[in-house]
Amino acid sequence: QPDYPNANPNQSKLKKSTNTIMQHLKLLGGKTPEELWPLTNACMPGLLLLLLAPKWTHTKTLSLIGPIFMAFIYTLSILSVMIYPEVDPDPAANFTSLEGVMAIFKDETGVFIGWVHYIVFDPLVARWIVLDSITEKKFALVTHLVVVVPCFILTILFGPMGFLLYMMLRSFLPPSSLNKVKSG
């Protein structure tokens, strides 16, 4: 393993000190979260289409493929853990306290499933932002670059922050002529 100058010196100690067993996700061919990790980039092509070709006829449909695929991965991962548990559940794990949620994410399987949850919903919200800016507002390249793209990127990186910014800015965007036809 290469020695990186900025790497966390405790990282290798942490890996050696944890005694977690990597769950094999039976409904996903018995693969481990580490083996499935490369699939987490499945949403990337759709995200690039939304940024670079938002008005292309097929962008609306193609940008759903990654999130739908990852939703299947998420569902099969959750069901694998529930139906074929390989590790005794941590009794402290719950959604009602910070400590309980931390117990859920203490192993690779919990982190993988949590990350897949993020990479399904953040792209869907970012997709909605782009499609909303096209159908509800007058699409202009400047608006797309100055308002939509920054909100899109913030949504992918920081979820609710990008969504909130778009919701605040969208009221300042000019309405689409389509809306005038609908309401008139």
mmCIF file of all heavy atoms in Angstrom, residues 121-173:
data_model
loop_
_atom_site.group_PDB
_atom_site.id
_atom_site.type_symbol
_atom_site.label_atom_id
_atom_site.label_comp_id
_atom_site.label_asym_id
_atom_site.label_seq_id
_atom_site.Cartn_x
_atom_site.Cartn_y
_atom_site.Cartn_z
ATOM 1 N N PHE A 121 -31.024 9.875 -3.739
ATOM 2 C CA PHE A 121 -31.874 11.047 -3.547
ATOM 3 C C PHE A 121 -31.236 12.368 -3.967
ATOM 4 O O PHE A 121 -31.923 13.221 -4.540
ATOM 5 C CB PHE A 121 -32.375 11.122 -2.098
ATOM 6 C CG PHE A 121 -33.536 10.203 -1.872
ATOM 7 C CD1 PHE A 121 -33.362 8.976 -1.272
ATOM 8 C CD2 PHE A 121 -34.797 10.553 -2.308
ATOM 9 C CE1 PHE A 121 -34.432 8.123 -1.096
ATOM 10 C CE2 PHE A 121 -35.880 9.709 -2.139
ATOM 11 C CZ PHE A 121 -35.694 8.482 -1.531
ATOM 12 N N ASP A 122 -29.971 12.574 -3.730
ATOM 13 C CA ASP A 122 -29.355 13.845 -4.151
ATOM 14 C C ASP A 122 -29.440 14.042 -5.665
ATOM 15 O O ASP A 122 -29.834 15.122 -6.119
ATOM 16 C CB ASP A 122 -27.917 13.954 -3.652
ATOM 17 C CG ASP A 122 -27.836 14.233 -2.152
ATOM 18 O OD1 ASP A 122 -28.893 14.385 -1.512
ATOM 19 O OD2 ASP A 122 -26.713 14.298 -1.630
ATOM 20 N N PRO A 123 -29.120 13.035 -6.482
ATOM 21 C CA PRO A 123 -29.295 13.230 -7.925
ATOM 22 C C PRO A 123 -30.749 13.441 -8.343
ATOM 23 O O PRO A 123 -31.021 14.177 -9.288
ATOM 24 C CB PRO A 123 -28.742 11.939 -8.535
ATOM 25 C CG PRO A 123 -27.741 11.471 -7.545
ATOM 26 C CD PRO A 123 -28.352 11.809 -6.208
ATOM 27 N N LEU A 124 -31.691 12.819 -7.638
ATOM 28 C CA LEU A 124 -33.097 13.042 -7.982
ATOM 29 C C LEU A 124 -33.520 14.475 -7.677
ATOM 30 O O LEU A 124 -34.265 15.090 -8.454
ATOM 31 C CB LEU A 124 -33.998 12.044 -7.259
ATOM 32 C CG LEU A 124 -33.925 10.608 -7.773
ATOM 33 C CD1 LEU A 124 -34.748 9.685 -6.895
ATOM 34 C CD2 LEU A 124 -34.378 10.520 -9.225
ATOM 35 N N VAL A 125 -33.052 15.019 -6.570
ATOM 36 C CA VAL A 125 -33.368 16.412 -6.244
ATOM 37 C C VAL A 125 -32.675 17.345 -7.242
ATOM 38 O O VAL A 125 -33.284 18.306 -7.734
ATOM 39 C CB VAL A 125 -32.974 16.749 -4.787
ATOM 40 C CG1 VAL A 125 -33.157 18.236 -4.504
ATOM 41 C CG2 VAL A 125 -33.795 15.915 -3.812
ATOM 42 N N ALA A 126 -31.425 17.062 -7.571
ATOM 43 C CA ALA A 126 -30.706 17.880 -8.553
ATOM 44 C C ALA A 126 -31.399 17.804 -9.915
ATOM 45 O O ALA A 126 -31.517 18.806 -10.626
ATOM 46 C CB ALA A 126 -29.251 17.422 -8.665
ATOM 47 N N ARG A 127 -31.872 16.631 -10.268
ATOM 48 C CA ARG A 127 -32.615 16.452 -11.524
ATOM 49 C C ARG A 127 -33.871 17.305 -11.511
ATOM 50 O O ARG A 127 -34.209 17.960 -12.495
ATOM 51 C CB ARG A 127 -32.961 14.970 -11.700
ATOM 52 C CG ARG A 127 -33.773 14.645 -12.925
ATOM 53 C CD ARG A 127 -34.082 13.135 -12.970
ATOM 54 N NE ARG A 127 -34.861 12.803 -14.138
ATOM 55 C CZ ARG A 127 -36.187 12.848 -14.180
ATOM 56 N NH1 ARG A 127 -36.888 13.205 -13.121
ATOM 57 N NH2 ARG A 127 -36.824 12.529 -15.296
ATOM 58 N N TRP A 128 -34.596 17.287 -10.400
ATOM 59 C CA TRP A 128 -35.801 18.099 -10.289
ATOM 60 C C TRP A 128 -35.471 19.585 -10.476
ATOM 61 O O TRP A 128 -36.204 20.309 -11.152
ATOM 62 C CB TRP A 128 -36.499 17.880 -8.942
ATOM 63 C CG TRP A 128 -37.665 18.801 -8.805
ATOM 64 C CD1 TRP A 128 -38.922 18.613 -9.302
ATOM 65 C CD2 TRP A 128 -37.667 20.084 -8.183
ATOM 66 N NE1 TRP A 128 -39.707 19.703 -9.021
ATOM 67 C CE2 TRP A 128 -38.963 20.622 -8.327
ATOM 68 C CE3 TRP A 128 -36.710 20.834 -7.514
ATOM 69 C CZ2 TRP A 128 -39.309 21.866 -7.831
ATOM 70 C CZ3 TRP A 128 -37.060 22.072 -7.015
ATOM 71 C CH2 TRP A 128 -38.344 22.579 -7.171
ATOM 72 N N ILE A 129 -34.379 20.036 -9.894
ATOM 73 C CA ILE A 129 -33.976 21.439 -10.030
ATOM 74 C C ILE A 129 -33.802 21.801 -11.504
ATOM 75 O O ILE A 129 -34.327 22.817 -11.978
ATOM 76 C CB ILE A 129 -32.685 21.723 -9.229
ATOM 77 C CG1 ILE A 129 -32.987 21.725 -7.733
ATOM 78 C CG2 ILE A 129 -32.038 23.033 -9.659
ATOM 79 C CD1 ILE A 129 -31.758 21.779 -6.840
ATOM 80 N N VAL A 130 -33.082 20.968 -12.238
ATOM 81 C CA VAL A 130 -32.845 21.249 -13.656
ATOM 82 C C VAL A 130 -34.153 21.221 -14.439
ATOM 83 O O VAL A 130 -34.450 22.139 -15.210
ATOM 84 C CB VAL A 130 -31.824 20.260 -14.259
ATOM 85 C CG1 VAL A 130 -31.745 20.401 -15.765
ATOM 86 C CG2 VAL A 130 -30.454 20.470 -13.632
ATOM 87 N N LEU A 131 -34.953 20.177 -14.239
ATOM 88 C CA LEU A 131 -36.202 20.064 -14.990
ATOM 89 C C LEU A 131 -37.176 21.176 -14.619
ATOM 90 O O LEU A 131 -37.887 21.707 -15.484
ATOM 91 C CB LEU A 131 -36.824 18.686 -14.784
ATOM 92 C CG LEU A 131 -35.977 17.514 -15.291
ATOM 93 C CD1 LEU A 131 -36.666 16.188 -15.002
ATOM 94 C CD2 LEU A 131 -35.645 17.660 -16.761
ATOM 95 N N ASP A 132 -37.213 21.546 -13.361
ATOM 96 C CA ASP A 132 -38.071 22.652 -12.934
ATOM 97 C C ASP A 132 -37.636 23.957 -13.588
ATOM 98 O O ASP A 132 -38.470 24.751 -14.019
ATOM 99 C CB ASP A 132 -38.035 22.802 -11.409
ATOM 100 C CG ASP A 132 -38.880 23.963 -10.921
ATOM 101 O OD1 ASP A 132 -40.120 23.844 -10.970
ATOM 102 O OD2 ASP A 132 -38.295 24.994 -10.524
ATOM 103 N N SER A 133 -36.330 24.159 -13.679
ATOM 104 C CA SER A 133 -35.836 25.402 -14.277
ATOM 105 C C SER A 133 -36.179 25.475 -15.761
ATOM 106 O O SER A 133 -36.283 26.560 -16.319
ATOM 107 C CB SER A 133 -34.324 25.538 -14.078
ATOM 108 O OG SER A 133 -33.622 24.657 -14.923
ATOM 109 N N ILE A 134 -36.371 24.332 -16.387
ATOM 110 C CA ILE A 134 -36.718 24.301 -17.812
ATOM 111 C C ILE A 134 -38.226 24.440 -18.015
ATOM 112 O O ILE A 134 -38.678 25.204 -18.858
ATOM 113 C CB ILE A 134 -36.212 23.001 -18.466
ATOM 114 C CG1 ILE A 134 -34.690 23.002 -18.480
ATOM 115 C CG2 ILE A 134 -36.764 22.833 -19.872
ATOM 116 C CD1 ILE A 134 -34.081 21.665 -18.859
ATOM 117 N N THR A 135 -39.019 23.697 -17.239
ATOM 118 C CA THR A 135 -40.464 23.680 -17.478
ATOM 119 C C THR A 135 -41.209 24.814 -16.795
ATOM 120 O O THR A 135 -42.182 25.317 -17.322
ATOM 121 C CB THR A 135 -41.085 22.339 -17.025
ATOM 122 O OG1 THR A 135 -40.802 22.143 -15.645
ATOM 123 C CG2 THR A 135 -40.547 21.184 -17.839
ATOM 124 N N GLU A 136 -40.772 25.223 -15.617
ATOM 125 C CA GLU A 136 -41.481 26.258 -14.876
ATOM 126 C C GLU A 136 -40.930 27.658 -15.130
ATOM 127 O O GLU A 136 -41.605 28.652 -14.904
ATOM 128 C CB GLU A 136 -41.443 25.973 -13.370
ATOM 129 C CG GLU A 136 -42.117 24.684 -12.975
ATOM 130 C CD GLU A 136 -43.612 24.686 -13.261
ATOM 131 O OE1 GLU A 136 -44.246 25.736 -13.108
ATOM 132 O OE2 GLU A 136 -44.131 23.635 -13.663
ATOM 133 N N LYS A 137 -39.701 27.737 -15.555
ATOM 134 C CA LYS A 137 -39.047 29.035 -15.744
ATOM 135 C C LYS A 137 -38.556 29.146 -17.177
ATOM 136 O O LYS A 137 -38.375 28.152 -17.865
ATOM 137 C CB LYS A 137 -37.864 29.194 -14.766
ATOM 138 C CG LYS A 137 -38.250 29.001 -13.303
ATOM 139 C CD LYS A 137 -39.204 30.065 -12.861
ATOM 140 C CE LYS A 137 -39.663 29.848 -11.431
ATOM 141 N NZ LYS A 137 -40.670 30.789 -11.037
ATOM 142 N N LYS A 138 -38.323 30.337 -17.609
ATOM 143 C CA LYS A 138 -37.804 30.558 -18.962
ATOM 144 C C LYS A 138 -36.347 30.125 -18.992
ATOM 145 O O LYS A 138 -35.526 30.654 -18.264
ATOM 146 C CB LYS A 138 -37.928 32.029 -19.327
ATOM 147 C CG LYS A 138 -37.647 32.315 -20.796
ATOM 148 C CD LYS A 138 -37.828 33.778 -21.109
ATOM 149 C CE LYS A 138 -39.284 34.154 -20.911
ATOM 150 N NZ LYS A 138 -39.543 35.550 -21.165
ATOM 151 N N PHE A 139 -36.053 29.134 -19.824
ATOM 152 C CA PHE A 139 -34.686 28.614 -19.888
ATOM 153 C C PHE A 139 -33.807 29.574 -20.675
ATOM 154 O O PHE A 139 -34.135 29.995 -21.760
ATOM 155 C CB PHE A 139 -34.637 27.240 -20.544
ATOM 156 C CG PHE A 139 -33.248 26.661 -20.598
ATOM 157 C CD1 PHE A 139 -32.736 25.995 -19.504
ATOM 158 C CD2 PHE A 139 -32.455 26.812 -21.727
ATOM 159 C CE1 PHE A 139 -31.459 25.462 -19.542
ATOM 160 C CE2 PHE A 139 -31.176 26.293 -21.775
ATOM 161 C CZ PHE A 139 -30.677 25.612 -20.671
ATOM 162 N N ALA A 140 -32.692 29.919 -20.081
ATOM 163 C CA ALA A 140 -31.670 30.713 -20.757
ATOM 164 C C ALA A 140 -30.327 30.164 -20.306
ATOM 165 O O ALA A 140 -30.163 29.761 -19.148
ATOM 166 C CB ALA A 140 -31.806 32.181 -20.394
ATOM 167 N N LEU A 141 -29.370 30.165 -21.214
ATOM 168 C CA LEU A 141 -28.053 29.634 -20.895
ATOM 169 C C LEU A 141 -27.426 30.360 -19.711
ATOM 170 O O LEU A 141 -26.848 29.730 -18.823
ATOM 171 C CB LEU A 141 -27.134 29.702 -22.118
ATOM 172 C CG LEU A 141 -25.750 29.072 -21.943
ATOM 173 C CD1 LEU A 141 -25.863 27.600 -21.565
ATOM 174 C CD2 LEU A 141 -24.926 29.226 -23.207
ATOM 175 N N VAL A 142 -27.578 31.668 -19.648
ATOM 176 C CA VAL A 142 -27.001 32.447 -18.538
ATOM 177 C C VAL A 142 -27.630 32.022 -17.217
ATOM 178 O O VAL A 142 -26.936 31.795 -16.226
ATOM 179 C CB VAL A 142 -27.171 33.962 -18.781
ATOM 180 C CG1 VAL A 142 -26.766 34.760 -17.551
ATOM 181 C CG2 VAL A 142 -26.391 34.402 -20.004
ATOM 182 N N THR A 143 -28.958 31.890 -17.197
ATOM 183 C CA THR A 143 -29.645 31.453 -15.974
ATOM 184 C C THR A 143 -29.179 30.049 -15.580
ATOM 185 O O THR A 143 -28.950 29.776 -14.403
ATOM 186 C CB THR A 143 -31.170 31.449 -16.190
ATOM 187 O OG1 THR A 143 -31.580 32.751 -16.592
ATOM 188 C CG2 THR A 143 -31.903 31.040 -14.935
ATOM 189 N N HIS A 144 -29.041 29.194 -16.576
ATOM 190 C CA HIS A 144 -28.592 27.824 -16.297
ATOM 191 C C HIS A 144 -27.204 27.845 -15.660
ATOM 192 O O HIS A 144 -26.971 27.180 -14.643
ATOM 193 C CB HIS A 144 -28.587 26.999 -17.592
ATOM 194 C CG HIS A 144 -28.193 25.580 -17.401
ATOM 195 N ND1 HIS A 144 -29.019 24.660 -16.788
ATOM 196 C CD2 HIS A 144 -27.060 24.911 -17.716
ATOM 197 C CE1 HIS A 144 -28.410 23.493 -16.739
ATOM 198 N NE2 HIS A 144 -27.217 23.609 -17.305
ATOM 199 N N LEU A 145 -26.297 28.628 -16.223
ATOM 200 C CA LEU A 145 -24.920 28.665 -15.724
ATOM 201 C C LEU A 145 -24.789 29.398 -14.393
ATOM 202 O O LEU A 145 -24.004 29.001 -13.536
ATOM 203 C CB LEU A 145 -23.996 29.309 -16.766
ATOM 204 C CG LEU A 145 -23.821 28.528 -18.066
ATOM 205 C CD1 LEU A 145 -23.002 29.337 -19.070
ATOM 206 C CD2 LEU A 145 -23.195 27.173 -17.818
ATOM 207 N N VAL A 146 -25.555 30.467 -14.201
ATOM 208 C CA VAL A 146 -25.389 31.316 -13.016
ATOM 209 C C VAL A 146 -26.234 30.847 -11.830
ATOM 210 O O VAL A 146 -25.814 30.988 -10.687
ATOM 211 C CB VAL A 146 -25.700 32.795 -13.362
ATOM 212 C CG1 VAL A 146 -25.691 33.674 -12.137
ATOM 213 C CG2 VAL A 146 -24.735 33.312 -14.402
ATOM 214 N N VAL A 147 -27.405 30.296 -12.107
ATOM 215 C CA VAL A 147 -28.300 29.900 -11.010
ATOM 216 C C VAL A 147 -28.396 28.382 -10.874
ATOM 217 O O VAL A 147 -28.141 27.827 -9.805
ATOM 218 C CB VAL A 147 -29.717 30.511 -11.201
ATOM 219 C CG1 VAL A 147 -30.668 30.018 -10.129
ATOM 220 C CG2 VAL A 147 -29.656 32.026 -11.215
ATOM 221 N N VAL A 148 -28.774 27.723 -11.950
ATOM 222 C CA VAL A 148 -29.094 26.294 -11.876
ATOM 223 C C VAL A 148 -27.852 25.448 -11.610
ATOM 224 O O VAL A 148 -27.870 24.588 -10.723
ATOM 225 C CB VAL A 148 -29.835 25.837 -13.147
ATOM 226 C CG1 VAL A 148 -30.111 24.341 -13.112
ATOM 227 C CG2 VAL A 148 -31.139 26.616 -13.294
ATOM 228 N N VAL A 149 -26.769 25.667 -12.338
ATOM 229 C CA VAL A 149 -25.567 24.832 -12.155
ATOM 230 C C VAL A 149 -25.012 24.949 -10.734
ATOM 231 O O VAL A 149 -24.729 23.914 -10.109
ATOM 232 C CB VAL A 149 -24.497 25.142 -13.233
ATOM 233 C CG1 VAL A 149 -23.173 24.488 -12.886
ATOM 234 C CG2 VAL A 149 -24.981 24.677 -14.603
ATOM 235 N N PRO A 150 -24.865 26.152 -10.158
ATOM 236 C CA PRO A 150 -24.388 26.204 -8.767
ATOM 237 C C PRO A 150 -25.324 25.494 -7.786
ATOM 238 O O PRO A 150 -24.862 24.777 -6.885
ATOM 239 C CB PRO A 150 -24.302 27.699 -8.462
ATOM 240 C CG PRO A 150 -24.125 28.339 -9.795
ATOM 241 C CD PRO A 150 -24.919 27.493 -10.751
ATOM 242 N N CYS A 151 -26.637 25.656 -7.968
ATOM 243 C CA CYS A 151 -27.591 24.968 -7.082
ATOM 244 C C CYS A 151 -27.503 23.456 -7.270
ATOM 245 O O CYS A 151 -27.568 22.692 -6.299
ATOM 246 C CB CYS A 151 -29.008 25.452 -7.353
ATOM 247 S SG CYS A 151 -29.291 27.172 -6.880
ATOM 248 N N PHE A 152 -27.343 23.034 -8.511
ATOM 249 C CA PHE A 152 -27.194 21.618 -8.845
ATOM 250 C C PHE A 152 -25.970 21.029 -8.146
ATOM 251 O O PHE A 152 -26.047 19.997 -7.479
ATOM 252 C CB PHE A 152 -27.068 21.495 -10.375
ATOM 253 C CG PHE A 152 -26.878 20.110 -10.892
ATOM 254 C CD1 PHE A 152 -27.963 19.366 -11.308
ATOM 255 C CD2 PHE A 152 -25.613 19.541 -11.007
ATOM 256 C CE1 PHE A 152 -27.799 18.082 -11.824
ATOM 257 C CE2 PHE A 152 -25.434 18.267 -11.517
ATOM 258 C CZ PHE A 152 -26.537 17.538 -11.922
ATOM 259 N N ILE A 153 -24.843 21.702 -8.280
ATOM 260 C CA ILE A 153 -23.590 21.209 -7.675
ATOM 261 C C ILE A 153 -23.700 21.192 -6.152
ATOM 262 O O ILE A 153 -23.308 20.219 -5.499
ATOM 263 C CB ILE A 153 -22.391 22.039 -8.165
ATOM 264 C CG1 ILE A 153 -22.152 21.750 -9.655
ATOM 265 C CG2 ILE A 153 -21.130 21.730 -7.345
ATOM 266 C CD1 ILE A 153 -21.161 22.659 -10.337
ATOM 267 N N LEU A 154 -24.267 22.240 -5.577
ATOM 268 C CA LEU A 154 -24.453 22.261 -4.119
ATOM 269 C C LEU A 154 -25.371 21.133 -3.669
ATOM 270 O O LEU A 154 -25.162 20.544 -2.605
ATOM 271 C CB LEU A 154 -25.009 23.609 -3.657
ATOM 272 C CG LEU A 154 -24.001 24.736 -3.551
ATOM 273 C CD1 LEU A 154 -24.722 26.055 -3.240
ATOM 274 C CD2 LEU A 154 -22.960 24.449 -2.487
ATOM 275 N N THR A 155 -26.382 20.820 -4.479
ATOM 276 C CA THR A 155 -27.294 19.727 -4.126
ATOM 277 C C THR A 155 -26.565 18.391 -4.158
ATOM 278 O O THR A 155 -26.744 17.560 -3.261
ATOM 279 C CB THR A 155 -28.503 19.705 -5.075
ATOM 280 O OG1 THR A 155 -29.183 20.955 -4.970
ATOM 281 C CG2 THR A 155 -29.462 18.585 -4.737
ATOM 282 N N ILE A 156 -25.727 18.166 -5.162
ATOM 283 C CA ILE A 156 -24.979 16.912 -5.246
ATOM 284 C C ILE A 156 -23.995 16.797 -4.081
ATOM 285 O O ILE A 156 -23.845 15.735 -3.484
ATOM 286 C CB ILE A 156 -24.238 16.801 -6.597
ATOM 287 C CG1 ILE A 156 -25.246 16.709 -7.750
ATOM 288 C CG2 ILE A 156 -23.277 15.626 -6.618
ATOM 289 C CD1 ILE A 156 -26.209 15.538 -7.664
ATOM 290 N N LEU A 157 -23.346 17.911 -3.713
ATOM 291 C CA LEU A 157 -22.338 17.865 -2.655
ATOM 292 C C LEU A 157 -22.924 17.989 -1.248
ATOM 293 O O LEU A 157 -22.445 17.338 -0.318
ATOM 294 C CB LEU A 157 -21.306 18.977 -2.869
ATOM 295 C CG LEU A 157 -20.464 18.874 -4.137
ATOM 296 C CD1 LEU A 157 -19.559 20.094 -4.256
ATOM 297 C CD2 LEU A 157 -19.653 17.587 -4.128
ATOM 298 N N PHE A 158 -23.931 18.848 -1.095
ATOM 299 C CA PHE A 158 -24.426 19.173 0.242
ATOM 300 C C PHE A 158 -25.949 19.074 0.354
ATOM 301 O O PHE A 158 -26.540 19.675 1.247
ATOM 302 C CB PHE A 158 -23.965 20.576 0.652
ATOM 303 C CG PHE A 158 -22.478 20.752 0.596
ATOM 304 C CD1 PHE A 158 -21.896 21.570 -0.361
ATOM 305 C CD2 PHE A 158 -21.648 20.089 1.477
ATOM 306 C CE1 PHE A 158 -20.522 21.737 -0.431
ATOM 307 C CE2 PHE A 158 -20.267 20.242 1.419
ATOM 308 C CZ PHE A 158 -19.711 21.064 0.467
ATOM 309 N N GLY A 159 -26.586 18.347 -0.551
ATOM 310 C CA GLY A 159 -28.014 18.067 -0.507
ATOM 311 C C GLY A 159 -28.917 19.243 -0.213
ATOM 312 O O GLY A 159 -29.166 20.080 -1.080
ATOM 313 N N PRO A 160 -29.417 19.334 1.004
ATOM 314 C CA PRO A 160 -30.400 20.352 1.346
ATOM 315 C C PRO A 160 -29.943 21.794 1.100
ATOM 316 O O PRO A 160 -30.766 22.662 0.816
ATOM 317 C CB PRO A 160 -30.651 20.122 2.842
ATOM 318 C CG PRO A 160 -30.316 18.682 3.049
ATOM 319 C CD PRO A 160 -29.169 18.404 2.106
ATOM 320 N N MET A 161 -28.648 22.063 1.170
ATOM 321 C CA MET A 161 -28.158 23.421 0.952
ATOM 322 C C MET A 161 -28.448 23.875 -0.488
ATOM 323 O O MET A 161 -28.933 24.982 -0.711
ATOM 324 C CB MET A 161 -26.656 23.511 1.231
ATOM 325 C CG MET A 161 -26.102 24.922 1.100
ATOM 326 S SD MET A 161 -24.292 24.995 1.206
ATOM 327 C CE MET A 161 -23.973 24.327 2.816
ATOM 328 N N GLY A 162 -28.169 23.027 -1.464
ATOM 329 C CA GLY A 162 -28.440 23.366 -2.857
ATOM 330 C C GLY A 162 -29.922 23.485 -3.138
ATOM 331 O O GLY A 162 -30.367 24.376 -3.867
ATOM 332 N N PHE A 163 -30.703 22.590 -2.555
ATOM 333 C CA PHE A 163 -32.152 22.636 -2.717
ATOM 334 C C PHE A 163 -32.711 23.937 -2.146
ATOM 335 O O PHE A 163 -33.521 24.620 -2.790
ATOM 336 C CB PHE A 163 -32.790 21.425 -2.031
ATOM 337 C CG PHE A 163 -34.286 21.459 -2.004
ATOM 338 C CD1 PHE A 163 -35.015 21.254 -3.162
ATOM 339 C CD2 PHE A 163 -34.962 21.690 -0.822
ATOM 340 C CE1 PHE A 163 -36.397 21.282 -3.138
ATOM 341 C CE2 PHE A 163 -36.339 21.723 -0.783
ATOM 342 C CZ PHE A 163 -37.067 21.509 -1.950
ATOM 343 N N LEU A 164 -32.286 24.297 -0.948
ATOM 344 C CA LEU A 164 -32.758 25.529 -0.314
ATOM 345 C C LEU A 164 -32.382 26.749 -1.145
ATOM 346 O O LEU A 164 -33.211 27.647 -1.369
ATOM 347 C CB LEU A 164 -32.184 25.652 1.102
ATOM 348 C CG LEU A 164 -32.558 26.913 1.872
ATOM 349 C CD1 LEU A 164 -34.062 26.981 2.095
ATOM 350 C CD2 LEU A 164 -31.813 26.951 3.201
ATOM 351 N N LEU A 165 -31.151 26.799 -1.627
ATOM 352 C CA LEU A 165 -30.717 27.934 -2.441
ATOM 353 C C LEU A 165 -31.571 28.041 -3.706
ATOM 354 O O LEU A 165 -32.024 29.131 -4.068
ATOM 355 C CB LEU A 165 -29.238 27.800 -2.802
ATOM 356 C CG LEU A 165 -28.665 28.941 -3.646
ATOM 357 C CD1 LEU A 165 -28.761 30.277 -2.897
ATOM 358 C CD2 LEU A 165 -27.222 28.636 -4.032
ATOM 359 N N TYR A 166 -31.825 26.926 -4.365
ATOM 360 C CA TYR A 166 -32.657 26.970 -5.572
ATOM 361 C C TYR A 166 -34.068 27.449 -5.239
ATOM 362 O O TYR A 166 -34.644 28.269 -5.971
ATOM 363 C CB TYR A 166 -32.709 25.608 -6.271
ATOM 364 C CG TYR A 166 -33.584 25.659 -7.503
ATOM 365 C CD1 TYR A 166 -33.153 26.333 -8.650
ATOM 366 C CD2 TYR A 166 -34.854 25.093 -7.516
ATOM 367 C CE1 TYR A 166 -33.958 26.415 -9.779
ATOM 368 C CE2 TYR A 166 -35.661 25.176 -8.634
ATOM 369 C CZ TYR A 166 -35.218 25.843 -9.758
ATOM 370 O OH TYR A 166 -36.026 25.931 -10.864
ATOM 371 N N MET A 167 -34.634 26.948 -4.150
ATOM 372 C CA MET A 167 -35.991 27.365 -3.775
ATOM 373 C C MET A 167 -36.049 28.862 -3.492
ATOM 374 O O MET A 167 -37.044 29.514 -3.787
ATOM 375 C CB MET A 167 -36.490 26.561 -2.561
ATOM 376 C CG MET A 167 -36.705 25.088 -2.860
ATOM 377 S SD MET A 167 -37.773 24.760 -4.285
ATOM 378 C CE MET A 167 -39.347 25.289 -3.651
ATOM 379 N N MET A 168 -34.971 29.415 -2.948
ATOM 380 C CA MET A 168 -34.938 30.863 -2.684
ATOM 381 C C MET A 168 -34.762 31.641 -3.987
ATOM 382 O O MET A 168 -35.378 32.686 -4.168
ATOM 383 C CB MET A 168 -33.824 31.196 -1.694
ATOM 384 C CG MET A 168 -34.106 30.669 -0.301
ATOM 385 S SD MET A 168 -32.921 31.091 1.008
ATOM 386 C CE MET A 168 -31.381 31.258 0.227
ATOM 387 N N LEU A 169 -33.950 31.143 -4.905
ATOM 388 C CA LEU A 169 -33.655 31.872 -6.136
ATOM 389 C C LEU A 169 -34.711 31.691 -7.226
ATOM 390 O O LEU A 169 -34.887 32.576 -8.071
ATOM 391 C CB LEU A 169 -32.290 31.445 -6.697
ATOM 392 C CG LEU A 169 -31.073 31.796 -5.852
ATOM 393 C CD1 LEU A 169 -29.812 31.224 -6.480
ATOM 394 C CD2 LEU A 169 -30.953 33.308 -5.678
ATOM 395 N N ARG A 170 -35.432 30.599 -7.200
ATOM 396 C CA ARG A 170 -36.349 30.304 -8.306
ATOM 397 C C ARG A 170 -37.460 31.321 -8.432
ATOM 398 O O ARG A 170 -37.986 31.550 -9.519
ATOM 399 C CB ARG A 170 -36.875 28.878 -8.215
ATOM 400 C CG ARG A 170 -38.083 28.662 -7.351
ATOM 401 C CD ARG A 170 -38.445 27.195 -7.209
ATOM 402 N NE ARG A 170 -39.141 26.639 -8.321
ATOM 403 C CZ ARG A 170 -40.466 26.552 -8.420
ATOM 404 N NH1 ARG A 170 -41.231 27.019 -7.470
ATOM 405 N NH2 ARG A 170 -41.013 26.005 -9.483
ATOM 406 N N SER A 171 -37.836 31.966 -7.350
ATOM 407 C CA SER A 171 -38.899 32.968 -7.443
ATOM 408 C C SER A 171 -38.450 34.211 -8.208
ATOM 409 O O SER A 171 -39.273 35.003 -8.639
ATOM 410 C CB SER A 171 -39.398 33.346 -6.052
ATOM 411 O OG SER A 171 -38.329 33.902 -5.310
ATOM 412 N N PHE A 172 -37.137 34.374 -8.384
ATOM 413 C CA PHE A 172 -36.614 35.518 -9.123
ATOM 414 C C PHE A 172 -36.420 35.216 -10.612
ATOM 415 O O PHE A 172 -36.114 36.120 -11.383
ATOM 416 C CB PHE A 172 -35.285 35.997 -8.523
ATOM 417 C CG PHE A 172 -35.430 36.485 -7.115
ATOM 418 C CD1 PHE A 172 -34.946 35.719 -6.056
ATOM 419 C CD2 PHE A 172 -36.067 37.687 -6.831
ATOM 420 C CE1 PHE A 172 -35.095 36.156 -4.751
ATOM 421 C CE2 PHE A 172 -36.206 38.129 -5.530
ATOM 422 C CZ PHE A 172 -35.720 37.360 -4.483
ATOM 423 N N LEU A 173 -36.581 33.955 -11.000
ATOM 424 C CA LEU A 173 -36.417 33.589 -12.401
ATOM 425 C C LEU A 173 -37.690 33.929 -13.164
ATOM 426 O O LEU A 173 -38.793 33.774 -12.650
ATOM 427 C CB LEU A 173 -36.116 32.095 -12.538
ATOM 428 C CG LEU A 173 -34.857 31.596 -11.849
ATOM 429 C CD1 LEU A 173 -34.749 30.082 -12.003
ATOM 430 C CD2 LEU A 173 -33.621 32.278 -12.396
#
